Amino acid sequence: MAGFDKVVTTYEDALSGLKDGMTVIAGGFGLCGIPENLISEIKRLQTKNLTIVSNNCGVDGFGLGILLEDKQVSKMVSSYVGENALFEKQLLNGELDVELTPQGTLAEKMRAGGAGIPAFYTATGVGTPVAEGKDTRFFNGREYLLEEAITGDFAIVKGWKADRYGNVIYRHTAQNFNPMAATAGKITVVEVEELVEVGELDPAHIHTPGIYVDRVIVGTFEKRIENRTTSK
Amino acid sequence: MALSRDQMAIRVARELQDGYYVNLGIGIPTLVANFIPNGMQVMLQSENGLLGMGSFPSEANVDADMINAGKQTVTAVSGSSIFSSAESFAMIRGGHVDLTVLGAFEVDVSGNIASWMIPNKLIKGMGGAMDLVAGADNIIVTMTHASKNGDSKLLDVCSLPLTGKGCIKKVLTDLAWLEIENDAFVLKERAPGVTVEEIQAKTQGRLIVPEHVPEMVF
């Protein structure tokens, strides 16, 4: 590797430096736009005691759900964690801690983390269990909650296409949390479907500029569908 | 007769206006999309990052990268846009969505809503509901008027943990259309054949009944 070349060729290299107890921010919404192979590599590495920040926790046997199988996750920060029986069991056993966070607040926490903003005020969650223990302040007569930013030791991201410099574009609604996750990792790893030549992507259409990205790897994806609905 | 799910969706659809950007929650709210009046342009916002959600795809056009907030495979209409979750909630939190329709367990006379958590039952999370109710000015809650046990869901004070405080002004139940004003539910319309007395009996929170309460017409 030289200069701005971020490409790595093995998943071992992609997650080199991941250690027990770290915080990992993951892109994806449900099973859409999740870094499938990076998640599988975390399972292979058997890294333990992880805090995972992700809107959801996959399903039994796929996505982040596979990290529960060997109890690798000690805490999840998510907005919605249904669809996962093992998650429920570990939560009820006290083996897993969950910090439920409103979806928009979670996205903004990642965005703020990546943008160097330590905290922000939002009306979301005022008067609800989410507000417990948090500072509030009135602006223009309305009450707002102070929510703190999130950063991760690693961010794992699923892109569609990237160039060697780590410029990334996402495909359709597989974008979701990925751009914010990409900004908020000390080490940001992006796995993509296709590596393109530098200069091939239109600079004005880059979703994630390469400055946020440390490693790029090309993978193949199952892209499992959680809820297949069709019109007759 | 209590309204059917489709009738509830039809009644909500009467609140749509040409050029509205609308977020529809899971369940009855989703059905509203089936009753957008002909000739009216409405863009559906899906909080996972899609403005201009279309119908379900044909089997041949199913795309794992194209889903809605219910994780269903969908299509995008011509003129749609796709963006990140942060951008999506900037639209919601910033008050840019014209109408939000969502379900609830309880609503009270202060406009509080409880829709995500029943203590001692499994808690799956609030998803985007807290952001939606905090960010939108124009919200319609759709729910049944009373539980299967007959317990009113229209209360003086919500008994369940809240989703949002003081943010609900309009409620459509299977029995009535109500608006929240001055710490009371005001009965605006009745479902066809449903008496004021039945609605009064099933409303625990303070209810104001105007002299004339029209029946909905379908």
Side-chain angles (χ1 to χ4, degrees), chain A residues 64-85:
Chain A
L64 289 167
I66 66 172
L67 302 185
L68 301 173
E69 292 165 2
D70 303 313
K71 299 180 185 171
Q72 292 178 259
V73 184
S74 58
K75 183 178 175 182
M76 279 299 304
V77 180
S78 304
S79 85
Y80 190 82
V81 290
E83 346 295 354
N84 198 320

Side-chain angles (χ1 to χ4, degrees), chain A residues 29-30 32 56 79-82 88 100-105 107 122 124 126-130 142-143 171-177 180 223 225-231, chain B residues 47-48 56-59 62-73 82-86 89 93 116 122-128 130-131 134 161-165:
Chain A
F29 182 94
C32 182
N56 314 95
S79 85
Y80 190 82
V81 290
E88 186 182 330
L100 290 172
T101 304
Q103 196 174 133
T105 297
T122 176
T124 302
V126 168
T128 78
V130 166
R142 189 170 185 197
E143 190 178 9
R171 188 168 175 276
H172 301 334
T173 61
Q175 181 172 165
N176 57 61
F177 281 83
M180 284 77 65
K223 291 198 190 182
I225 292 173
E226 198 163 341
N227 197 350
R228 174 183 285 264
T229 46
T230 55
S231 58
Chain B
E47 63 265 26
N48 58 315
F56 295 143
S58 65
E59 192 61 46
V62 167
D63 186 332
D65 292 336
M66 198 63 219
I67 66 165
N68 65 14
K71 290 139 192 168
Q72 296 171 309
T73 46
I82 292 173
F83 34 81
S84 73
S85 299
F89 282 93
R93 215 187 293 104
W116 72 284
L122 180 66
I123 299 159
K124 292 186 169 186
M126 69 293 283
M130 285 190 183
D131 307 275
L162 298 184
T163 308
K165 197 171 110 179

Side-chain angles (χ1 to χ4, degrees), chain B residues 153-175:
Chain B
K153 297 182 179 180
L154 296 146
L155 306 174
D156 267 325
V157 181
C158 285
S159 67
L160 297 168
L162 298 184
T163 308
K165 197 171 110 179
C167 42
I168 306 303
K169 294 176 196 138
K170 299 171 187 171
V171 182
L172 176 70
T173 73
D174 53 340
L175 304 183

Side-chain angles (χ1 to χ4, degrees), chain B:
Chain B
M1 277 284 288
L3 300 182
S4 67
R5 288 162 59 89
D6 271 355
Q7 283 176 318
M8 289 179 74
I10 289 166
R11 177 61 192 86
V12 170
R14 291 177 188 162
E15 302 298 305
L16 297 172
Q17 292 184 25
D18 198 24
Y20 258 19
Y21 295 102
V22 179
N23 184 293
L24 301 175
I26 291 166
I28 290 165
T30 303
L31 302 175
V32 175
N34 300 334
F35 300 105
I36 297 168
N38 285 333
M40 185 182 283
Q41 275 200 307
V42 168
M43 279 259 192
L44 300 178
Q45 205 259 14
S46 190
E47 63 265 26
N48 58 315
L50 169 60
L51 187 61
M53 177 169 58
S55 53
F56 295 143
S58 65
E59 192 61 46
N61 287 321
V62 167
D63 186 332
D65 292 336
M66 198 63 219
I67 66 165
N68 65 14
K71 290 139 192 168
Q72 296 171 309
T73 46
V74 292
T75 56
V77 300
S78 173
S80 62
S81 53
I82 292 173
F83 34 81
S84 73
S85 299
E87 185 77 45
S88 184
F89 282 93
M91 288 172 198
I92 290 165
R93 215 187 293 104
H96 303 279
V97 176
D98 296 300
L99 173 65
T100 292
V101 187
L102 76 175
F105 301 142
E106 296 174 347
V107 172
D108 72 25
V109 294
S110 306
N112 297 328
I113 174 173
S115 67
W116 72 284
M117 177 181 175
I118 298 176
N120 304 319
K121 282 199 181 175
L122 180 66
I123 299 159
K124 292 186 169 186
M126 69 293 283
M130 285 190 183
D131 307 275
L132 281 160
V133 296
D137 190 42
N138 189 14
I139 303 170
I140 299 171
V141 170
T142 60
M143 61 181 190
T144 54
H145 207 96
S147 72
K148 290 196 178 84
N149 304 329
D151 298 326
S152 180
K153 297 182 179 180
L154 296 146
L155 306 174
D156 267 325
V157 181
C158 285
S159 67
L160 297 168
L162 298 184
T163 308
K165 197 171 110 179
C167 42
I168 306 303
K169 294 176 196 138
K170 299 171 187 171
V171 182
L172 176 70
T173 73
D174 53 340
L175 304 183
W177 176 270
L178 309 105
E179 296 185 12
I180 296 171
E181 296 166 17
N182 304 318
D183 290 327
F185 296 108
V186 180
L187 181 56
K188 296 286 186 180
E189 296 172 27
R190 300 174 285 130
V194 172
T195 63
V196 168
E197 290 69 29
E198 181 180 354
I199 294 164
Q200 279 174 320
K202 289 182 174 168
T203 306
Q204 186 262 323
R206 186 166 158 249
L207 181 71
I208 293 173
V209 182
E211 205 166 315
H212 177 63
V213 183
E215 264 188 16
M216 297 174 204
V217 178
F218 292 94

